[in-house]
Amino acid sequence: MSHEPYPSWELDISNPTFMIWGTNTDVGKTLVSTGIAVSVLSSSEPSNCHYVKPLQTGFPVDSDSRSVYRNVCDVLRSRKSGRILASNCILKLSSPAAMALVVSESEHLRNDGREGSNGSFCYEETQFGEEMDNEGGFELICTTIYGWNKAVSPHLAVEREGMAVDDSLLMEELRGCLKVSAGGGQRKGVFWRLLETAGGVASPGPSGSLQCDLYRPYRLPAILVGDGRLGGISATISAYESLKLRGYDVVAIVLEGHSLKNEVSVFSYLRNRVPVLVLPPVLEQLSNLLDWFYESRDVFSSLQEVMLSYHTQRIQRLHDMRNKAGDIFWWPFTQHKFIPKEIVTVIDSRCGENFVVHKVQNNEEMLISQFDACASWWTQGPDAVMQIELAREMAYSAAKYGHVMFPENVYEPSLRCAELLLGGVGKGWASRAFFSDNGSTAVEIALKMAFRKFMHDHGILDAKVVDPSAVIDIKVLALSGSYHGDTLGAMEAQAPSAYSSFLQQPWYSGKGLFFNPPTVFISNGMWSLSVPDCFSSDILKQDDFRFYSYDDLLSRARDSSAVARCYSSYISDQLLQFSSSSATYIGALLIEPVIHGAGGMHMIDPLFQRMLVNECRKQKIPIIFDEVFSGFWRLGRESAAELLDCLPDVACFAKLMTGGIIPLAATLATEAVFDTFKGDSKLMALLHGHSYSAHAMGCAAAVKSIQWFKDPSTNINIENGRKLKELWDVKLVNQISTFHLCETGCSVGNCMRN
């Protein structure tokens, strides 16, 4: 909710593609990249290799792509490998880096201070070796995308030298760079791709974003270069945990061996989950790297096998997921007969508002970012940054508390969550929070609470004590088109629909009195009412049905209008008829404030719902607001009750309460409702609960989400801490509202008849 999403993208992963991370600077990332490249290009089945350094500081004195280029060539020449075509390219440099390059005496770089004809800032290439079986040579491509002169973190280099780089731009440049080797093109063999980061796992990028967050949209599998020196155990494990927390697959850890044997402790900690490979120590004077690479050849060969095995298994699993899903899953709300295997969406990961899905296009394995247009069924609210914060909070709570049986206990996440709920969505009316696991259950709990309050206020409990055989039938007042969940009790409080038909729910009886509500819509730039025939009245005029803005619809000035009197009259008449012709009671009013979500995204006239609340208050019928969908800023306010400008006795919240990352629900109630469950017997208590009531991870996620959404420093869309900025352009909405369909299905103005 607070950051711009990354643009959509596609990435070919047909060939092995890995990101090389380091626990810190100077742990040998570039040597590992070089060793992998040498192994790839000289193995029994040689392949091509593309090495990419997205961010380079200290240039041109330090140039990792140039180092890989030179060392790989030197090693392969010494081994008399087959024919190799090698190149090194620097794409973009800051002005100080460019000037340093101009005055450099390096004889290996062709540079005249201008971009070369290939669009790069500088370029070098070489070829050597003999052709094998007349098949031509294999390629080594080394690329640096951005370079700065000062040997500091990229964000500091930007401050000192300019050439600022936005995160999304860097990712776009990286993706374009990888297209050079995507699918191998017309080249023979596999084309490995190695992306080496700058500094450590959590080192900042040019914008200040941590690199472990910056590269997260692609979620490329990771090779972590650990630290074999004193303190290296802690650094390596910390780097590993930082990557795992962000959803990276760490394929292997490789580190330089020392007498400290850090690899033993790291391997023990990982419990065989990740291979740990040990390289021989590098001489302090790197004058004999050829011998070191020769001595390390078996380690790099093993590392290459691990990487290739991971890549092969990953691709196979992505295909297996699509093939197996329809045979194993029973998807909700799905007619499986209509779902061929080919259309199953395989989700590899998520970042912000986009899924990363796997598809096969033109025989190429593709990862494609895909906007979550369903908002994960209304749970999606956090941006990519908040998702990491939520993961951290949940991990902390799970590690600290595990599972807590909630009755008669208290612990910090649950208490803090309840405090924030009562001080936020429940502010001014609620005093109690009852935790459950999902919205439908929260509604059933709310019904139990409301019914008890109704029976208490109307003496029904006393009557039942006097005559235990008395039949008490309590129903709910609700609106047609509303939807309150899929559990049997919640469905009973909904008007008949396809979801409650005999085919779906043969027990359904519809324990309610259901009104057809007036709805609102925008047409030709005007907000208008659509009123059912039952509300027809001679006193209503055309102007009563049209409004210039939604604020006019919400205005309390409408409470004294002719429409309000019409609504109140209808509601009171219906309630009177129901009570006079039936031996049952209306024990609760249950409504979705302002909008019917699953019922079709129909906006209900807020005045009608306010009149419903007023009439039920007069008759001491408890009010339930189902805000499972609308709560926590979904409608621009923390609670939809703010839009109606009236308060419930009980309200239900879920979905976005935890940022949508884990199930948790809460039913809030007034102290008066709570008091009706007090008594001298446990049977008077609310006998409802779940093993995971107020579970630690859910409460921790809710605390973080509630605070995050309300904080202007993390949610740039919030204004004065009370409402969200309007994201829809008013002019655009008005323009869209002028279009409508004729009977041929064409928009007027572009009709087939014209």
Side-chain angles (χ1 to χ4, degrees):
M1 296 177 72
S2 60
H3 294 269
E4 289 296 324
Y6 284 102
S8 59
W9 51 266
E10 297 182 357
L11 184 65
D12 184 355
I13 59 165
S14 301
N15 290 308
T17 305
F18 293 86
M19 183 156 272
I20 312 299
W21 297 88
T23 58
N24 207 333
T25 58
D26 195 29
V27 292
K29 294 192 301 296
T30 305
L31 288 177
V32 170
S33 298
T34 302
I36 297 172
V38 168
S39 182
V40 165
L41 290 162
S42 61
S43 62
S44 58
E45 297 183 1
S47 303
N48 306 282
C49 187
H50 188 180
Y51 168 88
V52 181
K53 183 77 172 182
L55 306 171
Q56 177 71 64
T57 59
F59 186 87
V61 175
D62 292 329
S63 175
D64 291 340
S65 66
R66 184 183 177 197
S67 176
V68 172
Y69 166 76
R70 283 185 167 185
N71 287 326
V72 170
C73 290
D74 289 346
V75 173
L76 294 181
R77 281 193 184 99
S78 71
R79 296 184 184 180
K80 298 181 180 180
S81 301
R83 189 169 184 79
I84 301 295
L85 310 174
S87 64
N88 178 40
C89 182
I90 313 298
L91 297 181
K92 301 176 187 295
L93 293 174
S94 69
S95 295
M99 289 299 297
L101 182 62
V102 169
V103 300
S104 171
E105 295 180 357
S106 172
E107 60 184 13
H108 295 273
L109 292 175
R110 173 186 58 77
N111 175 67
D112 56 4
R114 301 188 301 271
E115 287 192 359
S117 59
N118 64 345
S120 62
F121 208 96
C122 55
Y123 179 82
E124 58 185 326
E125 66 176 25
T126 187
Q127 52 183 297
F128 56 90
E130 299 296 329
E131 293 186 8
M132 302 175 65
D133 301 326
N134 297 318
E135 292 184 0
F138 291 92
E139 279 193 83
L140 168 68
I141 302 174
C142 297
T143 306
T144 296
I145 300 180
Y146 290 98
W148 293 265
N149 181 241
K150 292 292 183 181
V152 294
S153 178
H155 75 295
L156 295 177
V158 169
E159 289 181 7
R160 300 176 185 182
E161 302 178 26
M163 197 172 74
V165 183
D166 181 74
D167 291 353
S168 59
L169 175 60
L170 175 57
M171 298 300 285
E172 183 180 347
E173 294 278 1
L174 177 57
R175 188 169 63 256
C177 182
L178 292 176
K179 285 185 178 180
V180 173
S181 51
Q186 300 300 318
R187 307 172 180 88
K188 62 179 181 178
V190 178
F191 217 120
W192 287 65
R193 297 182 294 186
L194 307 174
L195 285 67
E196 183 182 317
T197 60
V201 165
S203 295
S207 70
S209 299
L210 303 186
Q211 288 181 75
C212 50
D213 294 327
L214 169 59
Y215 296 115
R216 185 169 165 259
Y218 296 165
R219 204 186 68 88
L220 295 176
I223 302 299
L224 176 61
V225 181
D227 192 342
R229 300 167 298 186
L230 184 64
I233 296 173
S234 175
T236 303
I237 292 174
S238 296
Y240 170 82
E241 295 292 355
S242 292
L243 290 173
K244 294 296 288 184
L245 181 67
R246 289 162 173 81
Y248 291 95
D249 291 337
V250 179
V251 177
I253 296 176
V254 55
L255 50 78
E256 181 186 346
H258 290 278
S259 59
L260 299 174
K261 296 189 178 297
N262 289 355
E263 65 276 5
V264 175
S265 296
V266 171
F267 189 71
S268 175
Y269 171 79
L270 295 174
R271 296 175 183 166
N272 302 326
R273 292 192 297 266
V274 178
V276 179
L277 294 89
V278 185
L279 292 166
V282 180
L283 298 176
E284 291 186 11
Q285 301 296 328
L286 299 180
S287 58
N288 199 7
L289 272 180
L290 293 182
D291 289 345
W292 184 84
F293 280 116
Y294 181 80
E295 188 179 353
S296 305
R297 67 190 186 283
D298 290 342
V299 178
F300 285 119
S301 178
S302 298
L303 179 57
Q304 181 192 353
E305 291 179 7
V306 170
M307 296 165 70
L308 183 58
S309 175
Y310 170 87
H311 171 74
T312 303
Q313 292 178 22
R314 180 191 186 191
I315 297 299
Q316 184 60 52
R317 185 59 176 171
L318 289 170
H319 284 270
D320 289 345
M321 288 168 66
R322 179 175 287 106
N323 295 330
K324 292 180 178 180
D327 297 330
I328 295 176
F329 292 150
W330 191 334
W331 286 304
F333 301 107
T334 299
Q335 176 49 262
H336 281 239
K337 193 172 183 179
F338 298 156
I339 311 296
K341 291 181 179 179
E342 308 84 66
I343 72 169
V344 174
T345 300
V346 178
I347 298 175
D348 179 70
S349 60
R350 183 193 190 99
C351 187
E353 297 179 347
N354 291 338
F355 290 119
V356 177
V357 302
H358 171 257
K359 292 185 179 180
V360 179
Q361 297 181 348
N362 300 321
N363 294 320
E364 294 178 340
E365 309 289 338
M366 303 296 296
L367 291 182
I368 301 173
S369 72
Q370 182 171 292
F371 179 68
D372 179 8
C374 292
S376 293
W377 273 351
W378 312 336
T379 66
Q380 178 55 22
D383 55 40
V385 177
M386 182 180 174
Q387 287 169 355
I388 298 301
E389 294 290 332
L390 291 174
R392 182 183 296 110
E393 290 297 319
M394 289 194 299
Y396 168 79
S397 293
K400 184 172 183 178
Y401 299 104
H403 173 59
V404 176
M405 187 182 72
F406 191 51
E408 301 178 33
N409 294 320
V410 61
Y411 62 113
E412 185 59 34
S414 60
L415 181 60
R416 187 68 185 125
C417 182
E419 289 174 335
L420 288 170
L421 288 170
L422 297 176
V425 290
K427 187 175 182 179
W429 67 273
S431 65
R432 298 285 175 166
F434 191 102
F435 289 106
S436 58
D437 55 350
N438 65 79
S440 181
T441 304
V443 168
E444 296 203 353
I445 294 167
L447 290 171
K448 286 186 175 182
M449 293 177 176
F451 292 159
R452 173 69 66 85
K453 180 67 164 63
F454 177 83
M455 291 188 295
H456 174 274
D457 291 349
H458 292 264
I460 296 175
L461 290 177
D462 295 334
K464 188 70 173 176
V465 171
V466 173
D467 183 7
S469 63
V471 177
I472 306 297
D473 188 13
I474 296 181
K475 295 184 180 293
V476 65
L477 175 59
L479 302 180
S480 297
S482 62
Y483 191 82
H484 303 289
D486 303 321
T487 52
L488 298 184
M491 292 180 72
E492 287 293 300
Q494 299 167 189
S497 69
Y499 301 104
S500 60
S501 65
F502 184 81
L503 193 62
Q504 295 293 331
Q505 215 290 67
W507 281 0
Y508 176 79
S509 60
K511 296 182 179 300
L513 174 62
F514 305 109
F515 289 170
N516 289 322
T519 57
V520 296
F521 61 96
I522 185 171
S523 176
N524 294 318
M526 293 287 292
W527 285 91
S528 302
L529 288 179
S530 176
V531 179
D533 292 340
C534 58
F535 293 100
S536 59
S537 172
D538 295 337
I539 65 173
L540 299 182
K541 301 176 182 179
Q542 190 66 30
D543 289 344
D544 293 328
F545 297 89
R546 302 183 67 190
F547 305 87
Y548 289 101
S549 71
Y550 193 67
D551 287 341
D552 292 339
L553 272 166
L554 295 173
S555 174
R556 290 301 298 258
R558 293 183 64 207
D559 289 13
S560 58
S561 67
V563 175
R565 291 191 292 274
C566 178
Y567 288 166
S568 293
S569 176
Y570 172 80
I571 295 167
S572 59
D573 287 346
Q574 291 296 308
L575 290 176
L576 181 61
Q577 291 180 29
F578 181 84
S579 61
S580 63
S581 61
S582 173
T584 60
Y585 300 92
I586 296 295
L589 168 65
L590 174 60
I591 60 173
E592 294 176 89
V594 180
I595 186 170
H596 284 174
M601 292 297 172
H602 293 147
M603 301 190 72
I604 310 303
D605 184 1
L607 175 64
F608 177 71
Q609 291 190 323
R610 199 156 54 238
M611 294 300 103
L612 266 176
V613 171
N614 290 345
E615 291 299 321
C616 288
R617 286 261 182 255
K618 294 176 183 178
Q619 301 194 31
K620 294 185 178 180
I621 297 174
I623 316 300
I624 303 172
F625 283 0
D626 177 357
E627 292 209 51
V628 170
F629 163 60
S630 60
F632 299 102
W633 309 99
R634 185 65 73 186
L635 303 181
R637 299 295 181 96
E638 188 170 18
S639 167
E642 296 179 50
L643 297 175
L644 285 187
D645 199 16
C646 56
L647 299 174
D649 299 291
V650 184
C652 309
F653 298 92
K655 296 192 184 296
L656 207 54
M657 184 170 77
T658 62
I661 200 169
I662 192 170
L664 184 73
T667 304
L668 305 188
T670 64
E671 194 70 12
V673 171
F674 174 76
D675 286 342
T676 62
F677 287 85
K678 290 181 178 179
D680 296 329
S681 167
K682 185 174 181 178
L683 295 178
M684 284 292 292
L686 178 53
L687 301 182
H688 196 113
H690 302 270
S691 297
Y692 291 95
S693 292
H695 60 93
M697 288 194 295
C699 288
V703 168
K704 175 61 69 173
S705 297
I706 294 170
Q707 292 173 327
W708 187 282
F709 290 150
K710 298 175 77 166
D711 186 348
S713 67
T714 53
N715 185 357
I716 61 175
N717 294 324
I718 200 165
E719 293 180 322
N720 301 321
R722 288 191 51 79
K723 65 178 182 178
L724 297 182
K725 298 175 184 176
E726 179 60 61
L727 299 181
W728 287 94
D729 180 74
V730 175
K731 292 183 179 179
L732 175 61
V733 172
N734 288 339
Q735 182 181 1
I736 294 174
S737 74
T738 62
F739 288 88
H740 60 278
L741 301 180
C742 73
E743 61 268 26
T744 65
C746 308
S747 62
V748 174
N750 189 32
C751 184
M752 295 172 59
R753 296 175 177 176
N754 294 341

